[in-house]
Amino acid sequence: MKYYIIAGEASGDLHGSNLMKAIYQEDSKADIRFWGGDLMKAVGGTLAKHYRDLAFMGFIEVVFNLKTIVKNIDFCKKDILDFQPDVLIFIDYPGFNMRIAKWAKLRNFKTHYYISPQIWAWKESRIKAIKRDFDKLYVILPFEKDFYENKHHFPVEFVGHPLIDAIHARKSVSISEFKAAHQLDERPIVAILPGSRKQEIKKMLSVMLSVVDDFQSYQFVIAGAPSQEFSFYEPYLKNSNVKFISNKTYDLLAHATAALVTSGTATLETALFKVPEVVCYKGSSISYQIAKRIITLKYISLVNLIMDASIVAELIQDDCNSKTIKLELQKILEATHRSWLLEKYDELETKLGGEGASQKTTRLIINALK
């Protein structure tokens, strides 16, 4: 069968790559064309568009890039018509994917959505479009099934979280090998995960690194996004206690003692690696003021949302400053708090279900098409 997959971000590239592996295992004749990144490209298929050309964050940033976004939408529609897939598989990235799904459904393409848009956070009115434009919806967070089925009477499949698969499937590297490969010394590591988009990295890195001199007994290591060049990070590496590693985030988390993490999928990845973390977020002033008025969630991190409790510290906008980051980092480096936090991480993983999200989703997609 012919599969057309659209993933528009780094996290979508990761989940898309694992989904593609499962598709090839279940369908030896699969023909896959996709929007994604280097991870999906490494699996096989044909890359139509790289996500680095798509990633615009924040309300104002989207407005300034409308011309590019419209061009991408037009190209996508033509590309789908040329490819004529048996099924379209959309991975998160709702602003773009829901536009394409509406168009595709009117042309009788099969539309499957893997990883629900977070309409439980904002734009709940999108449920009407989801019901209208998608044949199947596969959710990865335990509370989403209740949200869709009991609140909105729309049947969905809870398949578990694909991050568990991705983490368990990785090849482990010993701490000595890791430090030797990246010229790190013997001190424990504080990982810095500032995001994958240029706008958020610019916002986050300076404030995250402002506490480095207060923790001389630790070494700070920036996790570079695969979509960004080293030259982009170079201005942030003037402090000798700050190191940089590109495209090795999982190896870094496997050996980190603590982490400062920009809100997003990385907060959950860090928790699943059992690394105590502080969640940090700063947006443009206008984007933040708009978001504050339309998002009604109690928390911004997936860890706290899934647990429905304040498990990890969230430092947002003005609260995300050198003083508060220092205080919260000191806290998660203390033995008592670390022990409590790791117990909560174990509870979190249990809530997310076990391994096999990619395989389960693939089988459901193929069975639905049959």
Side-chain angles (χ1 to χ4, degrees), residues 263-286:
S263 180
T265 304
T267 64
L268 184 56
E269 290 174 309
T270 303
L272 291 173
F273 271 99
K274 309 299 166 63
V275 180
E277 66 184 298
V278 179
V279 176
C280 308
Y281 181 77
K282 273 181 178 286
S284 68
S285 297
I286 296 175

Side-chain angles (χ1 to χ4, degrees), residues 204-231:
M204 298 311 307
L205 256 183
S206 294
V207 67
M208 285 174 153
L209 295 176
S210 66
V211 302
V212 169
D213 291 334
D214 296 308
F215 296 89
Q216 289 294 323
S217 56
Y218 295 85
Q219 55 190 322
F220 289 73
V221 182
I222 298 170
S227 57
Q228 306 300 340
E229 300 293 333
F230 172 74
S231 58

Side-chain angles (χ1 to χ4, degrees), residues 226-324:
S227 57
Q228 306 300 340
E229 300 293 333
F230 172 74
S231 58
F232 176 70
Y233 294 94
E234 206 164 5
Y236 301 96
L237 304 178
K238 295 175 182 177
N239 190 311
S240 61
N241 198 26
V242 178
K243 306 296 183 183
F244 173 83
I245 297 175
S246 181
N247 202 20
K248 294 289 181 183
T249 301
Y250 279 11
D251 287 346
L252 175 59
L253 287 175
H255 301 300
T257 297
L260 302 177
V261 187
T262 297
S263 180
T265 304
T267 64
L268 184 56
E269 290 174 309
T270 303
L272 291 173
F273 271 99
K274 309 299 166 63
V275 180
E277 66 184 298
V278 179
V279 176
C280 308
Y281 181 77
K282 273 181 178 286
S284 68
S285 297
I286 296 175
S287 291
Y288 173 70
Q289 290 300 326
I290 295 172
K292 190 169 69 170
R293 285 159 174 77
I294 62 177
I295 297 175
T296 57
L297 295 175
K298 290 188 289 184
Y299 309 108
I300 65 166
S301 71
L302 282 172
V303 175
N304 292 346
L305 284 167
I306 294 165
M307 295 295 287
D308 193 25
S310 182
I311 306 301
V312 297
E314 297 182 350
L315 306 180
I316 306 171
Q317 210 65 5
D318 292 341
D319 289 333
C320 184
N321 56 61
S322 299
K323 181 179 178 181
T324 54

Side-chain angles (χ1 to χ4, degrees), residues 180-194:
H182 301 288
Q183 292 81 54
L184 303 179
D185 58 42
E186 292 306 307
R187 291 174 298 167
I189 296 168
V190 175
I192 305 290
L193 278 64

Side-chain angles (χ1 to χ4, degrees), residues 29-174:
K29 296 182 180 180
D31 183 4
I32 303 176
R33 188 170 177 84
F34 64 91
W35 293 45
D38 296 339
L39 295 176
M40 294 172 76
K41 188 177 179 181
V43 177
T46 304
L47 176 67
K49 181 80 72 171
H50 200 288
Y51 71 77
R52 72 167 67 95
D53 301 324
L54 310 174
F56 304 111
M57 65 173 293
F59 302 96
I60 300 304
E61 292 81 0
V62 168
V63 170
F64 285 138
N65 289 282
L66 272 178
K67 189 174 181 180
T68 300
I69 293 169
V70 170
K71 280 185 178 180
N72 285 332
I73 289 171
D74 290 341
F75 170 77
C76 186
K77 291 175 180 178
K78 182 180 183 303
D79 202 48
I80 290 168
L81 288 173
D82 290 343
F83 187 61
Q84 286 294 309
D86 294 295
V87 63
L88 288 163
I89 303 172
F90 303 91
I91 301 179
D92 201 4
Y93 200 54
F96 185 89
N97 276 336
M98 291 186 69
R99 285 174 177 265
I100 299 299
K102 180 181 180 181
W103 168 88
K105 188 66 176 174
L106 290 172
R107 285 152 184 82
N108 296 315
F109 286 105
K110 298 295 183 185
T111 53
H112 290 225
Y113 211 154
Y114 178 42
I115 305 179
S116 160
Q118 296 176 352
I119 65 169
W120 36 265
W122 70 304
K123 289 193 176 180
E124 192 168 343
S125 59
R126 279 177 165 174
I127 186 62
K128 295 178 182 177
I130 288 173
K131 287 181 174 182
R132 181 191 66 215
D133 299 331
F134 294 96
D135 298 309
K136 297 287 182 180
L137 179 60
Y138 309 99
V139 300
I140 63 173
L141 299 173
F143 60 80
E144 289 178 321
K145 188 171 178 68
D146 176 69
F147 172 83
Y148 280 106
E149 294 190 343
N150 293 334
K151 185 173 183 180
H152 291 292
H153 311 292
F154 183 60
V156 301
E157 296 282 356
F158 171 60
V159 294
H161 207 293
L163 278 181
I164 296 174
D165 292 341
I167 290 169
H168 288 182
R170 62 176 289 275
K171 293 180 181 179
S172 60
V173 178
S174 71

